[in-house]
């Protein structure tokens, strides 16, 4: 967003200054198209003629600005970006209501206006086009708004609020290209640097050194923004750990080292050299930015949303905070003066100082840093009992060096010091303290195999070594478990059998987990019983899927598995002698032998004979294979596992005065196996909150999915800022009665789902939850009647509703649920939604499954069964 002030253009002067050095800038080959539309609504000011005016500004000032910003002096590689106006829609798009300025409604407008605008412009493929939307005055505090893109983005949507300013468009295009704001670090005690606090604040937009502030300027982009856009290579940034001299090229030059990055404790500094050019307010000298973000409490902004947002976290952001090294003053966008550059500076800790000797073509910067003689913290090892994945980090969090970085490790193996492999942290994303190089760590797989006493120490960039960690006794096992197709029934009755995988063994660490997964990676059954993985099968049903077996060191085997369980009741046997019904208490089909009797049943494979009271002998082909003695009157006893072989044989059970319940048989197949490693558990920091931990029991859990899935709260999913009930973009007054919320997204590389999520909401009362269910029913009925809904742009979003068949027992009652099966939108935008909303007392759970290809009947049935699981969790809360 942007509040703005008029600027003075200095394009010609900059080009002249470049030529005076004998260096010619290269000009654009990357020309991008911006289409323009306008919107209005009942009672708004007229937008007639605005798009044509804006198109003219794009073709002139905006285009000139971005060509200038992306054309570097002395460039041999053309990275210049230019813009031109594309199609212009003269007739405004009439909205149903006034454009929203903030929150979810504003985001929804930005999303919905784009397809509607291109539909009216007659452009089917707009994946590589930018869209500018002019809106009349709507009471917003901002002049422009844009979706944040990235360095490879070639499209985006920009909203102009009562503005045709070229500067606003240029600034918002910066966001579309992946740039954040140029902000200002302002200290009330007149210091130019300081720790974030109530004294040193982060003034949003106030770093007006380039176009990403809110004061019009023609000066070059900061080198941080150039780097974010891909206009600079990593090799042009020098990371400094100790005192040294660095020669910096000016910020508008193409070649040479253009920036210095240095840490000072938890503060991170980005330094560049700005030469004097016509039309800029600063003196030649160093410009310094902080890239460590402030807490929300230290932000000063005209935008109310900035003071209520989430904390930044450690990931590298898009914003910078400029230091005032000279006479710079910023109060508002209309009150700015002075220069922010200098040739000397010192960080607020006093540990780092900078001194520059500047010329027209470079600045020689002397960096003096207090010597780091402090060793890294002593590593704390994760408890050995948790060493269950080769790919897990064995060092507990908190091992980071206070001032530099850890680059190596040594291990003490039974007292002998050895250099260990220092591995890059997998899945690393750049952070403000480590923007270029992944931190180093030690994985379980980095340790040598064997049984030994182990201790670890860390080594930092300058060679300081930590103390040794506390020694631990460990056994490092690299051998995969042995897995064969050997299963036995350990217990059985008329309803189900418990099947133990005897063929899953490990002589080293032992078996710790076995899973059976469906085709999507959902866990059908899982067991963590050590060395005795067992599954429960209902009579007549199969357990089929991908099996995973892991030992306690995280070594695993995986393959296709099928287990079929069948039960033949005594009443289905051929019999001699006198038999009476024993349905009570032994179950349907059970029979009691009175006197001397025999019963014959044909079967193959492995089976168990289930008896009630009495004694019996079991024969196959006239040969005795087992005898069973069961004295308890009302309990079921099963024989040991008997193997009849691959072909059917007659099993004869004979005896006197005994109860025969039946015969339980299993058939198993196991496909080719491949070795796999158990993945380390993914940390979910939200579970440290007791309320979130309770809600987490009701929706998706990590152990509902295979290890290839990531199951974590969505961005903002633990807060109440975003809506819960957004079916058909309806109105839900009950949203204000929510008191807790947890929305989970399940994601996996290559997933066929466009969205897979669960949501749990606790309302202020059962009455509020009941009201929410009734609102859903009402909105759904209207959406069905209208066959969709009209979005913020006034366009119909079509819904084709389908009937859900064979809804299983176990979901909540009809008066406490709303189930939706619908195809949303059409053509390339079509997607199919399965939405299961279930209520119990003051709590609601939602299950949302969406893909672009539709669902088969079997897939619908599967997700209905998952809805049963959600209902069970909801009813057990």
């Amino acid at each position: 967003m942007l509040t703005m002030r008029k600027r003075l253009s200095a394009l010609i002067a900059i080009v002249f200054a470049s030529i005076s050095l004998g260096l010619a800038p290269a000009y654009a080959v990357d020309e991008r198209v911006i289409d323009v539309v306008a919107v209005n609504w009942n009672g708004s000011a007229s937008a007639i003629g605005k798009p044509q005016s804006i198109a003219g500004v794009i073709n002139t000032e905006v285009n000139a600005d971005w060509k200038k910003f992306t054309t570097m002096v002395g460039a041999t590689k053309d990275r210049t970006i230019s813009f031109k106006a594309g199609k212009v829609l003269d007739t405004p798009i009439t909205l149903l209501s006034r454009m929203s300025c903030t929150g979810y409604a504003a985001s929804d407008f930005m999303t919905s206006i784009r397809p509607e605008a291109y539909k009216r412009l007659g452009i089917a493929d707009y994946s590589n086009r930018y869209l500018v939307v002019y809106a009349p005055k709507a009471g917003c505090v901002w002049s422009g708004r844009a979706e944040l893109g990235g360095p490879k983005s070639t499209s985006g949507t920009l909203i102009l609020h009562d503005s045709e300013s070229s500067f606003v468009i240029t600034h918002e295009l910066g966001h579309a290209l992946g740039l954040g704001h140029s902000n200002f670090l302002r200290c009330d005690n007149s210091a130019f640097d300081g720790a974030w606090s109530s004294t040193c604040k982060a003034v949003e937009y106030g770093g007006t050194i380039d176009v990403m502030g809110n004061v019009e300027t023609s000066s070059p982009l900061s080198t941080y923004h150039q780097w974010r856009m891909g206009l600079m290579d990593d090799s042009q940034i020098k990371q400094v750990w100790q005192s040294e001299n660095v020669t910096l090229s000016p910020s508008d030059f193409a070649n040479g080292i253009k920036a210095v990055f240095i840490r000072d404790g938890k503060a991170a500094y980005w330094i560049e050299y700005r030469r004097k050019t016509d039309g800029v307010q600063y003196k030649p000298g160093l410009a310094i930015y902080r890239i460590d973000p402030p807490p929300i409490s230290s932000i000063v902004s005209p935008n109310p949303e900035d003071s209520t947002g989430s904390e930044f976290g450690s990931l590298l952001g898009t914003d910078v905070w400029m230091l005032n090294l000279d006479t710079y003053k910023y109060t508002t966008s209309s009150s700015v003066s002075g220069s922010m550059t200098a040739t000397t500076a010192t960080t607020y800790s006093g540990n780092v100082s900078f001194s520059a000797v500047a010329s027209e073509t470079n600045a020689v910067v002397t960096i003096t840093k207090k010597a780091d003689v402090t060793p890294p913290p002593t590593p704390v090892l994760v408890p050995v009992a948790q060493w269950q994945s080769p790919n897990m980090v064995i060092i507990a969090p908190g091992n980071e060096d206070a001032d530099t970085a850890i680059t190596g490790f040594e291990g003490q193996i039974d007292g002998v010091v050895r250099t260990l492999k220092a591995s890059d942290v997998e899945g690393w994303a750049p952070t403000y303290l480590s923007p270029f190089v992944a931190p180093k760590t030690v994985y379980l797989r980095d340790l040598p195999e064997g049984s030994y006493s182990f201790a670890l120490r860390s080594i930092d960039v300058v060679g300081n070594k930590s103390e040794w960690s506390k020694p631990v006794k460990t056994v490092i096992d690299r051998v995969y478990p042995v897995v064969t197709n050997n299963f036995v029934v350990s217990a059985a009755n008329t309803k189900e059998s418990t099947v133990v995988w005897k063929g899953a063994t490990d002589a080293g660490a032992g078996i710790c987990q076995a899973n059976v997964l469906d085709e999507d990676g959902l866990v059908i059954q899982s067991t963590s019983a050590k060395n005795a993985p067992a599954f429960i099968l209902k009579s007549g049903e199969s357990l089929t899927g991908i099996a995973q077996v892991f030992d306690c060191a995280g070594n695993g085997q995986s393959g296709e598995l099928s287990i079929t369980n069948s039960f033949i009741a005594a009443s289905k046997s051929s019999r001699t002698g006198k038999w009476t019904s024993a349905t009570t208490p032994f179950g349907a089909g059970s029979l009691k032998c009175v006197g001397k009797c025999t019963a014959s049943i044909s079967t193959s494979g492995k089976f168990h004979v289930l008896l009630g009271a009495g004694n019996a002998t079991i024969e196959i082909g006239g040969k005795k294979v087992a005898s069973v003695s069961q004295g308890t009157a009302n309990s079921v006893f099963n024989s040991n596992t008997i193997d009849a072989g691959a072909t059917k044989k007659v099993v004869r059970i004979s005896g006197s005065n005994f109860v025969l319940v039946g015969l339980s048989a299993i058939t198993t197949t196991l496909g080719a196996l491949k070795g796999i490693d158990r993945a380390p558990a993914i940390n979910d920091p939200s579970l440290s909150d007791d309320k979130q931990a309770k809600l987490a029991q009701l929706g998706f859990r990590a152990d509902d999915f295979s290890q290839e899935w990531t199951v974590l709260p969505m961005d903002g999913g633990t807060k109440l800022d975003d809506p819960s009930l957004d079916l058909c973009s309806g109105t839900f007054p009950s949203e204000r009665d929510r008191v807790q919320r947890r929305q989970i997204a399940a994601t996996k590389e290559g997933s066929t789902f466009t969205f897979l999520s669960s949501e749990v909401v606790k309302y202020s009362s059962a009455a509020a939850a009941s009201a929410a269910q009734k609102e859903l029913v009402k909105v759904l009925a209207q959406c069905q009647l209208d066959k969709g809904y009209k979005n913020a742009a006034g366009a119909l979003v079509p819904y084709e509703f389908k009937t859900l068949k064979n809804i299983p027992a176990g979901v909540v009652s009809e008066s406490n649920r709303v189930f939706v099966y619908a195809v949303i939108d059409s053509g390339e935008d079509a997607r199919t939604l399965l939405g299961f909303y279930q209520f119990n007392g003051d709590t609601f759970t939602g299950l949302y499954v969406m893909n672009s290809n539709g669902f088969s009947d079997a897939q619908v049935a599967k997700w209905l069964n998952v809805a049963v699981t959600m209902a069970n969790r909801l009813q057990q809360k």
Side-chain angles (χ1 to χ4, degrees):
M1 279 193 242
L2 176 69
T3 54
M4 52 82 59
R5 175 189 166 186
K6 184 149 179 76
R7 70 154 188 169
L8 295 173
S9 177
L11 172 62
I12 297 176
I14 287 180
V15 173
F16 283 170
S18 301
I19 294 172
S20 71
L21 293 170
L23 301 170
Y27 286 103
V29 293
D30 183 359
E31 187 174 63
R32 307 187 184 191
V33 177
I34 305 176
D35 305 301
V36 188
V37 302
V39 297
N40 61 12
W41 52 88
N42 185 31
S44 71
S46 173
I48 300 296
K50 299 295 186 181
Q52 290 292 349
S53 173
I54 291 168
V57 170
I58 291 169
N59 285 327
T60 54
E61 297 175 66
V62 172
N63 179 49
D65 279 343
W66 275 106
K67 285 176 68 175
K68 177 178 53 187
F69 295 153
T70 56
T71 301
M72 300 297 161
V73 174
T76 57
K77 181 178 181 180
D78 191 353
R79 292 171 169 171
T80 303
I81 298 173
S82 68
F83 291 95
K84 69 175 182 179
K87 281 197 169 186
V88 176
L89 186 66
D90 292 320
T91 303
I93 300 170
T94 301
L95 308 182
L96 297 178
S97 59
R98 186 178 68 177
M99 182 187 72
S100 296
C101 298
T102 61
Y104 178 82
S107 299
D108 183 52
F109 168 71
M110 187 173 287
T111 301
S112 61
I113 192 62
R114 185 173 176 86
E116 180 61 19
Y118 278 107
K119 178 181 177 182
R120 300 196 187 196
L121 287 166
I123 298 174
D125 181 6
Y126 45 88
S127 58
N128 291 305
R129 302 175 79 97
Y130 295 83
L131 178 69
V132 167
V133 181
Y134 172 84
K137 187 179 290 293
C140 307
V141 299
W142 45 268
S143 299
R145 195 170 201 176
E147 297 170 315
L148 185 64
K152 296 183 180 180
S153 299
T154 56
S155 66
T157 302
L158 291 64
I159 311 296
L160 302 182
H161 174 235
D162 191 34
S163 175
E164 303 165 61
S165 163
S166 66
F167 172 63
V168 174
I169 300 170
T170 301
H171 175 103
E172 298 304 330
L173 282 171
H175 291 320
L177 293 167
L179 306 185
H181 284 146
S182 294
N183 307 307
F184 177 38
L185 190 158
R186 183 177 66 200
C187 296
D188 294 340
N189 60 3
S190 298
F192 72 81
D193 187 23
W196 297 119
S197 63
S198 59
T199 300
C200 291
K201 297 291 189 70
V203 181
E204 195 76 5
Y205 310 105
T208 61
I209 200 164
D210 68 7
V211 73
M212 299 315 294
N214 67 346
V215 176
E216 293 198 43
T217 178
S218 60
S219 64
L221 292 173
S222 71
T223 53
Y224 185 80
H225 286 143
Q226 292 177 32
W227 175 62
R228 297 286 304 189
M229 282 185 63
L231 300 175
M232 281 171 51
D233 300 325
D234 287 358
S235 61
Q236 293 184 275
I237 305 155
K238 175 70 174 177
Q239 182 163 5
V240 173
W241 296 107
Q242 304 179 73
S243 298
E244 66 175 291
N245 294 336
V246 179
T247 300
L248 286 179
S249 295
S251 59
D252 59 328
F253 276 32
N255 303 311
I257 302 296
K258 295 181 62 176
V260 168
F261 171 76
I262 189 167
R263 280 181 52 185
D264 185 7
K266 297 300 182 183
Y269 296 85
W270 187 281
I271 302 95
E272 67 185 20
Y273 169 53
R274 293 244 162 187
R275 68 189 181 101
K276 180 63 176 176
T277 57
D278 292 339
V280 299
Q281 64 184 20
Y282 50 77
K283 303 171 186 175
L286 301 179
I288 300 181
Y289 313 93
R290 291 267 294 275
I291 64 171
D292 55 296
I296 296 299
S297 60
S298 292
I299 292 177
V300 177
S301 174
N303 175 21
E305 288 183 307
D306 290 334
S307 61
T308 59
S310 300
E311 297 292 347
F312 284 95
S314 62
L315 291 180
L316 184 66
T318 57
D319 284 15
V320 295
W321 290 266
M322 182 189 76
L323 273 56
N324 172 23
L325 304 182
D326 195 8
T327 60
Y328 180 74
K329 291 183 179 180
Y330 176 95
T331 304
T332 66
S333 61
S334 59
S335 179
V336 182
S337 63
S339 173
M340 67 289 289
T341 55
T343 55
T344 61
T346 304
T347 61
Y348 72 84
S349 71
N351 291 333
V352 184
S353 63
F354 310 93
S355 177
V357 177
S359 71
E360 185 69 5
T361 57
N362 63 52
V364 178
V365 184
T366 299
I367 302 165
T368 304
K369 189 174 189 295
K370 182 180 178 181
D372 176 15
V373 295
T374 304
T378 304
V380 175
L381 299 178
V382 172
V384 172
Q386 298 176 24
W387 291 16
Q388 296 185 355
S389 168
N391 299 316
M392 68 169 289
V393 174
I394 65 169
I395 307 172
N399 189 55
E400 299 81 10
D401 191 81
D403 195 42
T404 57
I406 291 171
T407 56
F409 299 94
E410 290 179 335
Q412 212 173 50
I413 312 294
D414 282 340
V416 178
V417 177
R418 293 175 52 175
T419 298
L420 297 178
K421 179 181 178 182
S423 295
D424 288 347
V425 171
E426 293 179 353
W428 166 80
T431 66
Y432 61 82
L433 291 178
S434 185
F436 309 112
V437 180
K440 302 298 183 180
T441 192
V442 178
Y443 286 94
L444 184 58
R445 63 174 182 260
D446 296 329
L447 301 186
E449 192 168 8
S451 175
Y452 47 81
S453 174
F454 175 73
L456 180 75
R457 70 180 176 191
S458 306
I459 307 169
D460 69 18
V461 167
V462 296
N464 298 310
K465 295 183 178 182
S466 72
E467 296 293 325
W468 289 103
S469 67
K470 291 182 179 179
V472 296
K473 184 69 176 175
T474 184
V475 178
I476 304 301
D477 173 15
R478 302 264 189 260
V479 180
Y480 290 123
V482 175
V483 179
T484 63
N485 187 25
N486 182 10
F487 294 83
V488 298
V489 177
S490 64
N493 56 45
T494 58
K495 295 181 179 179
E496 62 185 29
S497 297
T498 300
V499 180
V500 175
W501 200 339
K502 287 287 188 180
T505 60
D506 186 82
I511 300 297
C512 266
Q513 186 170 14
N515 306 317
V516 180
L517 316 171
D518 73 5
E519 68 279 4
D520 291 317
L522 271 71
V523 174
I524 303 171
Q525 283 201 45
S526 179
T527 172
S528 56
K530 190 168 184 179
N531 294 325
F535 303 110
I536 296 175
L537 281 78
K538 293 182 178 179
S539 296
E541 292 189 359
S542 297
L543 177 62
T544 302
I546 301 296
Q548 297 177 330
V549 178
F550 296 102
D551 67 18
C552 298
N555 309 299
Q557 297 260 44
S558 177
E560 294 186 4
L561 173 68
S562 178
I563 308 173
T564 301
N565 178 42
S566 60
F567 176 75
I568 304 172
S571 60
K572 301 295 183 181
S573 65
S574 298
R575 299 177 297 279
T576 63
K578 183 178 180 181
W579 296 82
T580 60
S581 174
T583 298
T584 304
F586 296 104
S590 299
L591 298 174
K592 181 178 181 179
C593 165
V594 180
K596 189 174 182 180
C597 311
T598 64
S600 300
I601 301 173
S602 294
T603 190
S604 61
K606 297 176 181 179
F607 67 90
H608 286 239
V609 175
L610 278 64
L611 297 178
N615 304 320
T617 299
I618 303 167
E619 298 178 347
I620 297 178
K623 182 179 179 181
K624 179 180 175 181
V625 293
S627 60
V628 181
S629 178
Q630 164 65 336
T632 305
N634 294 328
S635 63
V636 176
F637 180 81
N638 52 284
S639 69
N640 293 329
T641 301
I642 302 170
D643 194 345
T647 58
K648 274 194 172 184
K649 296 181 177 65
V650 175
V651 178
R652 179 170 289 112
I653 304 101
S654 58
S656 301
N657 301 315
F658 68 94
V659 173
L660 177 63
V661 178
L663 186 149
S664 174
I666 59 167
T667 303
T668 63
T669 59
L670 179 64
L673 298 171
K674 65 176 182 179
I676 58 173
D677 289 337
R678 187 175 186 174
I682 296 175
N683 181 45
D684 181 356
S686 71
L687 295 179
S688 61
D689 179 271
D690 290 342
K691 293 178 180 178
Q692 285 294 313
K694 289 179 181 178
L695 295 181
Q697 296 303 308
L698 306 184
F700 280 153
R701 306 169 186 168
D703 57 11
D704 291 332
F705 295 83
S706 68
Q707 62 179 11
E708 293 77 18
W709 286 85
T710 298
V711 185
L712 288 172
M714 294 173 59
D715 185 24
T718 60
K719 297 183 178 181
L720 300 174
D721 300 330
D722 293 335
S724 297
L725 306 181
D726 55 359
L727 178 65
C728 295
S729 198
T731 300
F732 298 93
S734 59
E735 295 289 271
R736 63 175 177 265
D737 295 320
R738 298 176 300 164
V739 293
Q740 295 171 29
R741 172 175 173 262
R742 180 178 180 83
Q743 184 163 12
I744 293 294
T747 58
K748 182 184 77 167
E749 185 176 350
S751 169
T752 60
F753 302 103
T754 55
F755 189 58
L756 182 57
S757 175
S758 71
E759 186 171 19
V760 182
V761 174
K762 184 177 177 63
Y763 290 89
S764 59
S765 65
S770 178
Q773 191 271 342
K774 290 178 173 60
E775 289 165 7
L776 267 172
V777 171
K778 182 179 179 181
V779 167
L780 176 60
Q782 189 64 49
C783 198
Q784 290 171 328
L785 181 65
D786 296 338
K787 297 183 179 180
Y789 72 92
K790 288 188 177 181
N791 63 22
L796 178 70
V797 178
Y799 273 57
E800 178 191 346
F801 289 93
K802 297 176 176 289
T803 301
L804 283 169
K805 302 174 183 177
N806 303 317
I807 295 177
V811 298
V812 300
S813 64
E814 189 169 358
S815 62
N816 288 300
R817 72 178 188 240
V818 174
F819 285 2
V820 180
Y821 182 16
V823 178
I824 304 172
D825 223 324
S826 58
E828 293 183 354
D829 295 323
R831 62 264 188 208
T832 302
L833 168 69
L834 286 169
F836 305 106
Y837 304 79
Q838 302 187 82
F839 295 80
N840 180 38
D842 61 1
T843 307
F844 144 77
T845 61
L847 169 62
Y848 317 122
V849 189
M850 186 179 288
N851 71 15
S852 57
N853 300 317
F855 298 99
S856 66
D857 289 346
Q859 289 172 322
V860 173
K862 178 180 83 171
W863 289 108
L864 278 167
N865 285 328
V866 176
V868 172
T869 299
M870 296 296 176
N872 290 336
R873 293 175 182 178
L874 181 63
Q875 291 165 339
Q876 293 169 7
K877 70 180 179 70

